[in-house]
Amino acid sequence: MMSTVAARAARTRARQPIPPLLSFVTLSSPAFHQQSDARNSALVLRKYSRSTNDHEPTTRSEEMVTTTTTSNTAREERGKTSPISSSSSSSSTTYIPTTPLGKSLLTLSSSLLLLNNPARGDLLSILTQVSSPPSLPHLLQLFNSTPSGRRLLIERPSINSETVDLDYLSNLPRGKLGREWVEWLKENNVGPDGRAEADYMATAEDKYLIQRYRESHDFYHLLLRMPITTLGETVVKFFEASQMRMPVAGLSAVGGSLRILSSSLLPSIKDLLNSNPSIPSTSSPAQDRDSQKDLILLNELIPWAVKLGVEAKPLITIEWEKRWEEDIEALRASYGITPPPVNVPPFKGRRGKKKMVGWPSKVLKARADRAAAKAKAAA
Amino acid sequence: MLSPSIKLRLGRSISSRVVPSLQSFPHTQRYYSDRPPTGSFATTPTHPSSSSSSSPSSHETHRMGAGEGRARSVGGAGAGGDRVGRTTHFGFKDIREEEKETLVGSVFSSVASSYDVMNDAMSLGIHRLWKDHFVSKLDPRGGINILDVAGGTGDIALRMLDHARLKHYDRETKVTILDINPNMLSQGQKRMKQTMYWNTPQLSFQLGNAEMLGTPIEVPPQFSSPSIAPNSKKPYLPPLESKPIESESVDLYTIAFGIRNCTHIDKVLEEAYRVLKPGGVFACLEFGKVSVPLLAELYKQYSFNLIPTLGQLLAGDRDSYQYLIESIERFPTQPEFARMISRAGFHLPNSQVARDLGLPSFPKGSATRGDEDVDGAWEDLTLGIASIWTGIKL
């Protein structure tokens, strides 16, 4: 079963990709969309080969998959790859079908888990995909509203560590988009890594919409001058929610605000109970003070971000790959992005969990031993 | 408030004294068979008069009979001659220093068997929370050597071992339970026989004097020979031993509810400093002064009215518990004790040195005016009824 699937994939890849014009025609045909769900089994190779389609799938739709396949095979999957998907032909053409009930369950559970542990990137990816159906038409309309957006839909470029040349970008003069982006990446200690595949999306186009949405997120941070802190992320999510109306953006915005609220209000509640030593404190006094400052800043920044989302031109249509050499301030001005009303504290490094150290006498002894060994080696 | 028995005790001449608690009530019924028989300790040359903690150790020698008239060699000969004539406190009584150890010893011999029950009754079970918090604050980990001083019944030792095992997957941490009172130590042995740490290298029992950890104590004979026909009343317990503790051999020194019984607290702190390794932690859990004035008065009333009564009811010994509450009153205040720790050479938790080494810090703000230098050097539990002090040696 696996071998026939693999063989078929090899055959389709060997065929010539359709020229862009024709694929645009295919996209706009209603038949394609109507039949897309019913044809899923034919169009997209299933991750778990539940049904075998022995007949040849229609060439046109198959080749739609091909174009995405050729552009996506280079991309690695971020995070854990399950053995099943990696052993199948190509991870980019896997699809995890979900019923509406499944989608709502996934939305609910992943949002709760993310509230508890925002570092779970895989859950965020799932939430984005699974909660997106109501907002996809609006997102598609945003793409189609400008020529660059329409070009994106056809060409479907991707931004990840393989498609960008970080060296070239760091050599650009300051003030250019590419250079500013690299500086922002360094400041916030992140990379332009490829994000995990949007496997929950039924059509390749939906998949691209989600993929582009997620890849552009870091650029919104850059344009809005927001760091990767809880505060910065929350503000960017408010902006995304008001511009793109994605449910995941709305949920993340609310979730982020809740986190800031709780971490700034809880210490004062603890103070009310007055030094009962049995209640352990998970945050230091410095962190509590930071949270209180964050809350004040949030009050100023949320209205600004929401207003900006409504008034600014759709940022999702920007072809970042073609505009590395553009002046970033000009770009901001052309899209109507105003500077934030307050200064946001920069990213300071991953704090939270304190490093576990050994017993002081053992640490001192280890240091002394190392120093003695070094002295002996030097002698 | 002094009971007639105590007045009687003080009035008698030293040489004719027998075990005080026995003599106090003419017809005291003793129902507990595991009380040590009086006058059963062998005569041995005595130690220098400076002594500490509780013990009917070799100092019992001079208690033989009323008519012996044996002078207290403690007071006369010996290297401790310079300390003769100084007084200290035994609860609210001022007594001669050399007597304290004896009197304290008798207190703990008689309370040993019902120690745990009495602790639960007096503190309404809160002592368990205090001890749990104490151990989790210290966070023993990484296969360290712990010396638990005055740890007779093994409360703290057991908690340390469990904490290391459960939180840090540590089965290499060793605890040495040290106590001056062999009865308490035997009680601890019995308790530990019920746990998984018995007969493992993780546990050892030592007889010793907290003020002189380098000097071994003579083990009374009934503790050096095991039970012939073991049963639950008199189980098989390995003979107690007393080895000197070497300098710089201990990673964590703990003393819980024991330091107030010591005659010379500064000597205890000096010895603690000596045996700790560089980077070693000194930790003390002890009763403190209640911070809220209204509650202080309530607490005082509670302790002076209820505790000796409970002692009489549960342990059959009012005097011992009278001593207990008086000793709590006489213990220095929290800031003063923190200063004593600092004077012994330890770095307090509010200092940068201690913080850099990883000693957990205590919340500041508990010190009143005049005590800012030691603010954050201790932690009050239950509004100051108990307190934790720590220090780190560099």
Side-chain angles (χ1 to χ4, degrees), chain A residues 277-278 356-362 364, chain B residues 133 138 141-143 251 278-279 379:
Chain A
S278 316
M356 176 102 284
V357 289
W359 196 257
S361 51
K362 295 228 171 229
L364 284 181
Chain B
H133 178 75
L138 288 176
R141 57 193 183 269
D251 293 290
E379 180 176 8

Side-chain angles (χ1 to χ4, degrees), chain B residues 215-226:
Chain B
T215 321
I217 291 185
E218 189 76 23
V219 181
Q222 77 264 36
F223 295 102
S224 46
S225 50

Side-chain angles (χ1 to χ4, degrees), chain B residues 22 57 122 127 150 202 220 222 232-233 268 308 348:
Chain B
L22 265 195
S57 64
M122 287 193 297
H127 73 109
Q202 288 191 271
Q222 77 264 36
S232 69
K233 289 281 178 273
V268 172
L348 296 177

Side-chain angles (χ1 to χ4, degrees), chain A residues 191-238:
Chain A
D193 292 329
R195 288 174 148 89
E197 298 283 342
D199 291 334
Y200 288 82
M201 308 311 289
T203 65
E205 181 185 57
D206 289 343
K207 209 164 154 169
Y208 183 71
L209 294 181
I210 297 295
Q211 177 200 313
R212 191 69 188 177
Y213 167 74
R214 300 194 69 223
E215 281 171 359
S216 318
H217 177 80
D218 278 350
F219 289 96
Y220 306 152
H221 272 281
L222 176 66
L223 289 189
L224 264 57
R225 300 177 185 82
M226 290 291 141
I228 297 193
T229 53
T230 316
L231 177 66
E233 286 288 354
T234 310
V235 172
V236 173
K237 284 298 181 183
F238 267 104

Side-chain angles (χ1 to χ4, degrees), chain A residues 147-175:
Chain A
S148 57
R150 291 195 283 270
R151 273 199 297 275
L152 280 176
L153 283 179
I154 296 166
E155 289 163 14
R156 301 198 184 165
S158 166
I159 298 180
N160 53 55
S161 37
E162 267 135 21
T163 55
V164 295
D165 186 356
L166 284 174
D167 293 324
Y168 166 69
L169 293 178
S170 359
N171 288 328
L172 288 171
R174 289 226 65 161

